[in-house]
Amino acid sequence: MEELICREGTVHSLIFQNAENGYTVLRLLTEEGEAVTVVGCVPCVAPGEHLTVTGVWEQHPQHGEQLRAVELERSLPEDEEEIFSYLSSGICKGVGPATARNIVDRFGVETLDILETAPERLTTVKGITARKAQEIAEGFRRHMGLRRLMAFLARYELPPVLAMGLRQRYGDAALEKLRENPYLLSADDCGVDFSVADEIAMSMGFESDSSQRLQAAVTFELSHNENNGHVFLPRGKLIAATSQLLQCEEDKPELALDSLVDRGLVVQERVANVDACYLRRLWEAEVSVQKRLEALLAAEPDQSAGAARTVEELESSQGLTYAPRQRQAVELAARTNVLILTGGPGTGKTTTVRGIVALFRKMGLDIVLAAPTGRAAKRMSELTGMEAQTVHRLLGMSWSESTRQVTYTKTEKEPLEAGAVIVDEMSMVDLSLFSALLRALRPGTRLVLVGDADQLPSVGAGNVFSDLIRSGRVETVFLREVFRQAEESAIIRNAHAVNMGEAPNLANNQGDFFFLCRRDPERTVTTLVELCKTRLPEKMGIPADQIQVLTPTRKGPAGTIYLNRCLQEALNPKEPGKRELLWGDRLFREGDRIMQTRNDYDAVWEKEDGTVGTGVFNGDVGKILRIDDSGEWLELDFDGRRAVYGVEQLNEVDLAYAMTIHKAQGSEYRAVVLSVMPAAPSLMVRGVLYTALTRARELLITVGDDAAIRAMAANDRRQKRYSGLRWRMVKGGPLPGEGA
């Protein structure tokens, strides 16, 4: 634990300040005359203020020692010169040094009180009209409102940066809104745990059965379970979970739920004999998916005659012969508007997709290729020879500060200019994203959904790919035959064995599949580091940057947190001239491999060809190219898209030498080093192991406990996800081929 240091003094000057997120670098002059550089989130700070800063010392490579603020207390300046410095710093629009001097000379130490409580008296100062006095007062009140909001949050040890988001959402009334209902803090866009908001409310005197508390608890449970993949919760389970959260009788959350339903914030509907309770936006997304898919399924394909002859022509031109199921898929792509293609590794999905692309070209259709992640889109481009992009980018996704919601450029009002859309890695696409994609399709657009139904489901809510397959409403081709060339790969053989519930063959040398038994966590980590640093680069010619370490878990002695520290020191060690930046308990270094851990819709990037765009998304992997001399920003490269991040954005970035198997979905690596040690029961399941094995293209080395590996292969437990999509699709119409 780093030693906490406390320094008290007056703000002498601002070196840097980001108005949007409050990140600040300032010089603090202590009472002993010491000048200290302070860095951290200190919104709206100005020279003349008094600060008490508690933090940790950091050594900046260019600027030397600086104090990173962990906690701080602040108070307004009290003597005339400090007030002058404060007022002339730009906190009020229209008040420069000359005006500030006139105001302070007139009102002295009472200046700040006058600005807030009696601004009309400013008109007695030469050059200040009634209108200007009002403008100055409004600016000062806004400034003070944000200060008081931060002080309110600081009282409960909440970060100052939270004030910026609340201010953007609620404007000048943010503090008043919070005092009326502190449970606003537990909303999705604030990210404060319900227990924290509840503690604040209780300290403010809210009753345990207040309507705000009960309703916030119900919506928190729905949001919390959305993060676990659930689109809805059965009414009984929702009430029971809320009752347990609040430690109260079930009748109270039941009344709160009824009130939310009456107000339209929660939708309750009978789904498959269950009273399903949805957050409204998820209910709207699910209904929209069903209706739009029904419309696509009902549309008559523009061209379907002669499909078999077209497939024969494709075989002749491409010099290959399709297997029966591959041929079936290509023919169905000509005859139907919506097609699902699914299969494991080595079953010919890529060849089939190439055939479908060639077919659509022959039919004169404009084709769009997409995938849920940047890595998956890049791989799709390489395999098809056509440009592919992420679904997010395809739809023009961005973040609206006014509505605090994701928005899209492409909708039914401005649909995609495409006659056919092919989406790969469909198992990763959640309900909300799929709903947005369907909204952007013109009537009659052909849609092909490709993926491996046995991989892990999407991180977001829903089980879209599996629901559509199991509904029987969409024509589905299952590719099950493993082709001879693919069958020569032990990776593919073992992946299919695991999928059938069999343990992988752990014989030491199988060409592209190796197992190194290590039952001790320390030896496991040592072996992982040796493989990445020396053994694979030197003996097999695979550079370290083409090796990806995977593990089921973030925590523990073989989790990503610890592994990343060890691999960083081995693969990108400290060197003279290589800049570093400490952020929280994580050290970032120039040259580090990093990964985006949450969607940043506003991040601006630029390619070498001058193309500019926005949006870096959860799972995108990149590299730190440069850390600025001042330590205030970093230049990152995400597969050729260069972005400049302020240090505060490091909250959405992590080291990526090692990553969880869940995060690796949709990506493929030349070599995978897989760590398997006992972990949380929910992670030690077949789907996690199968997904890990299918990430490796040329080489897979598993290091760890053989008993844990066999247990994972045998455990087919899958977390049940509450979703109504399959039920809606089945209810919506007949199965394929059964007529109307």
Side-chain angles (χ1 to χ4, degrees):
M1 182 75 179
E2 296 168 301
E3 183 184 359
L4 291 177
I5 305 297
C6 184
R7 290 291 185 272
E8 184 176 352
T10 303
V11 177
H12 177 266
S13 59
L14 298 184
I15 300 169
F16 171 83
Q17 187 168 57
N18 186 319
E20 291 184 3
N21 54 50
Y23 180 78
T24 303
V25 182
L26 60 85
R27 295 287 282 176
L28 187 73
L29 193 62
T30 69
E31 294 175 358
E32 293 76 23
E34 179 187 12
V36 179
T37 301
V38 177
V39 299
C41 183
V42 198
C44 299
V45 71
E49 277 193 67
H50 296 164
L51 294 184
T52 302
V53 181
T54 303
V56 293
W57 288 120
E58 293 178 346
Q59 188 67 32
H60 191 278
Q62 301 296 320
H63 302 294
E65 198 171 52
Q66 55 190 27
L67 185 62
R68 176 167 55 84
V70 177
E71 297 176 6
L72 59 89
E73 295 177 12
R74 52 199 293 185
S75 58
L76 292 170
E78 296 174 351
D79 68 39
E80 289 190 13
E81 282 309 304
E82 288 177 350
I83 291 171
F84 166 71
S85 296
Y86 184 67
L87 197 56
S88 64
S89 66
I91 62 165
C92 293
K93 186 178 178 181
V95 178
T99 304
R101 173 56 66 193
N102 290 338
I103 294 174
V104 174
D105 285 349
R106 174 73 177 81
F107 299 112
V109 294
E110 296 181 351
T111 295
L112 301 183
D113 287 335
I114 297 294
L115 286 172
E116 189 163 18
T117 61
E120 66 279 358
R121 291 178 61 186
L122 291 174
T123 57
T124 63
V125 176
K126 185 178 178 181
I128 298 182
T129 63
R131 181 176 178 179
K132 186 171 183 179
Q134 185 179 355
E135 289 174 355
I136 292 172
E138 286 176 357
F140 186 72
R141 283 171 181 159
R142 275 197 299 273
H143 174 79
M144 291 302 296
L146 187 55
R147 281 182 58 99
R148 291 191 177 104
L149 178 60
M150 287 187 293
F152 176 87
L153 296 172
R155 199 180 310 152
Y156 301 103
E157 299 182 351
L158 292 173
V161 71
L162 183 58
M164 308 301 286
L166 288 164
R167 177 67 174 271
Q168 286 174 335
R169 180 167 187 179
Y170 298 110
D172 294 341
L175 182 56
E176 184 183 342
K177 293 275 188 186
L178 270 190
R179 284 177 171 151
E180 290 174 0
N181 184 6
Y183 292 102
L184 294 173
L185 291 167
S186 64
D188 287 348
D189 50 354
C190 289
V192 176
D193 193 82
F194 176 83
S195 62
V196 175
D198 196 36
E199 187 178 336
I200 292 171
M202 294 295 102
S203 71
M204 292 171 64
F206 278 73
E207 298 294 333
S208 61
D209 60 352
S210 69
S211 60
Q212 294 101 320
R213 182 176 193 245
L214 295 168
Q215 291 178 21
V218 171
T219 54
F220 172 79
E221 282 295 342
L222 288 172
S223 297
H224 175 74
N225 280 281
E226 178 188 354
N227 293 329
N228 292 330
H230 300 298
V231 180
F232 70 81
L233 284 183
R235 180 182 173 95
K237 287 185 179 293
L238 174 57
I239 291 170
T242 307
S243 173
Q244 185 176 4
L245 177 69
L246 299 178
Q247 296 293 296
C248 68
E249 297 298 321
E250 292 190 356
D251 60 330
K252 292 177 179 177
E254 193 159 9
L255 289 172
L257 174 57
D258 289 339
S259 176
L260 288 166
V261 170
D262 290 342
R263 292 163 57 201
L265 299 175
V266 172
V267 176
Q268 181 173 308
E269 182 181 2
R270 191 74 177 168
V271 172
N273 299 317
V274 170
D275 288 326
C277 296
Y278 295 79
L279 291 171
R280 172 161 284 280
R281 57 181 169 76
L282 289 177
W283 177 81
E284 289 175 348
E286 190 173 272
V287 170
S288 174
V289 165
Q290 183 258 330
K291 288 183 176 178
R292 292 178 187 280
L293 270 178
E294 293 288 355
L296 288 177
L297 290 168
E300 290 291 330
D302 295 333
Q303 303 176 44
S304 59
R309 186 175 67 253
T310 303
V311 173
E312 289 171 4
E313 291 171 0
L314 289 174
E315 287 180 321
S316 176
S317 64
Q318 295 176 350
L320 55 80
T321 302
Y322 292 118
R325 287 185 182 272
Q326 290 178 313
R327 171 183 284 270
Q328 178 193 10
V330 179
E331 289 184 8
L332 279 171
R335 294 174 177 155
T336 61
N337 264 18
V338 187
L339 173 68
I340 290 175
L341 177 67
T342 184
T347 57
K349 289 199 302 293
T350 298
T351 300
T352 309
V353 169
R354 285 193 190 120
I356 292 172
V357 168
L359 170 80
F360 286 161
R361 277 178 172 161
K362 203 172 182 65
M363 294 166 63
L365 299 175
D366 293 326
I367 308 163
V368 168
L369 305 183
T373 68
R375 283 288 178 111
K378 185 177 180 182
R379 185 160 57 91
M380 196 180 189
S381 296
E382 293 166 352
L383 294 174
T384 61
M386 282 183 63
E387 182 188 359
Q389 54 189 313
T390 63
V391 181
H392 309 85
R393 198 154 291 122
L394 176 69
L395 300 179
M397 178 185 280
S398 62
W399 176 256
S400 169
E401 287 294 347
S402 59
T403 62
R404 307 295 295 173
Q405 290 182 339
V406 171
T407 61
Y408 302 92
T409 303
K410 297 297 180 181
T411 63
E412 55 277 319
K413 294 179 180 177
E414 187 185 333
L416 294 167
E417 295 295 325
V421 175
I422 302 175
V423 183
D424 197 9
E425 295 290 351
M426 186 60 202
S427 62
M428 296 179 65
V429 177
D430 63 29
L431 178 69
S432 296
L433 187 58
F434 191 54
S435 171
L437 175 64
L438 292 179
R439 284 183 60 202
L441 300 185
R442 294 182 300 185
T445 301
R446 293 169 186 266
L447 180 63
V448 179
L449 308 176
V450 185
D452 185 344
D454 294 313
Q455 284 190 28
L456 295 170
S458 58
V459 174
N463 208 3
V464 174
F465 197 48
S466 177
D467 281 353
L468 294 180
I469 292 171
R470 292 183 303 122
S471 76
R473 291 294 316 288
V474 181
E475 291 282 8
T476 303
V477 177
F478 296 88
L479 299 179
R480 294 192 173 96
E481 178 188 353
V482 179
F483 290 94
R484 187 179 304 168
Q485 185 177 355
E487 203 168 24
E488 294 173 2
S489 164
I491 295 173
I492 291 176
R493 288 200 307 272
N494 280 310
H496 283 280
V498 167
N499 202 29
M500 298 297 290
E502 302 169 13
N505 181 354
L506 300 181
N508 188 35
N509 186 348
Q510 301 174 57
D512 61 357
F513 185 101
F514 294 80
F515 171 67
L516 302 176
C517 186
R518 302 286 189 274
R519 296 194 178 103
D520 175 64
E522 233 175 85
R523 286 192 65 213
T524 299
V525 174
T526 301
T527 302
L528 289 167
V529 172
E530 287 174 356
L531 285 166
C532 296
K533 184 179 180 181
T534 56
R535 289 166 67 173
L536 292 185
E538 292 176 6
K539 295 184 179 179
M540 303 196 73
I542 302 176
D545 62 1
Q546 295 181 28
I547 304 166
Q548 183 61 57
V549 174
L550 299 181
T551 177
T553 181
R554 280 180 49 80
K555 300 176 182 177
T560 58
I561 296 172
Y562 182 63
L563 282 175
N564 270 316
R565 290 175 188 160
C566 298
L567 289 164
Q568 181 189 48
E569 282 309 304
L571 302 178
N572 188 31
K574 184 182 182 72
E575 293 177 6
K578 187 183 286 186
R579 297 186 186 91
E580 298 178 345
L581 184 63
L582 186 66
W583 187 254
D585 58 356
R586 295 173 300 157
L587 178 71
F588 293 96
R589 191 175 283 146
E590 288 179 336
D592 274 339
R593 187 190 308 177
I594 48 91
M595 175 177 58
Q596 187 79 9
T597 58
R598 65 183 74 163
N599 292 338
D600 187 335
Y601 305 103
D602 297 324
V604 178
W605 50 261
E606 183 175 1
K607 293 184 178 180
E608 282 189 6
D609 63 5
T611 303
V612 177
T614 58
V616 179
F617 300 104
N618 188 357
D620 285 355
V621 175
K623 182 179 180 179
I624 299 178
L625 297 179
R626 180 185 170 200
I627 297 175
D628 175 49
D629 291 350
S630 67
E632 294 160 10
W633 53 265
L634 306 86
E635 184 180 3
L636 311 179
D637 186 312
F638 293 97
D639 281 331
R641 293 174 291 126
R642 295 194 173 193
V644 174
Y645 274 31
V647 290
E648 75 286 344
Q649 289 172 278
L650 289 177
N651 286 328
E652 55 194 48
V653 170
D654 209 347
L655 293 174
Y657 298 102
M659 66 174 70
T660 63
I661 295 162
H662 281 82
K663 287 289 187 185
Q665 276 184 273
S667 296
E668 188 179 75
Y669 311 97
R670 182 179 175 186
V672 167
V673 178
L674 173 63
S675 168
V676 180
M677 297 294 291
S682 61
L683 299 172
M684 304 303 287
V685 296
R686 185 184 304 170
V688 172
L689 181 59
Y690 174 75
T691 299
L693 300 187
T694 55
R695 299 307 91 205
R697 186 170 68 249
E698 294 181 19
L699 178 69
L700 176 70
I701 300 180
T702 304
V703 183
D705 188 328
D706 53 337
I709 295 168
R710 293 188 176 96
M712 289 180 80
N715 184 0
D716 193 29
R717 188 181 69 178
R718 304 190 184 203
Q719 182 194 20
K720 178 179 175 60
R721 288 190 168 196
Y722 290 109
S723 162
L725 182 57
R726 180 191 178 194
W727 172 80
R728 292 184 195 281
M729 293 300 297
V730 171
K731 185 185 74 165
L735 301 179
E738 290 187 355

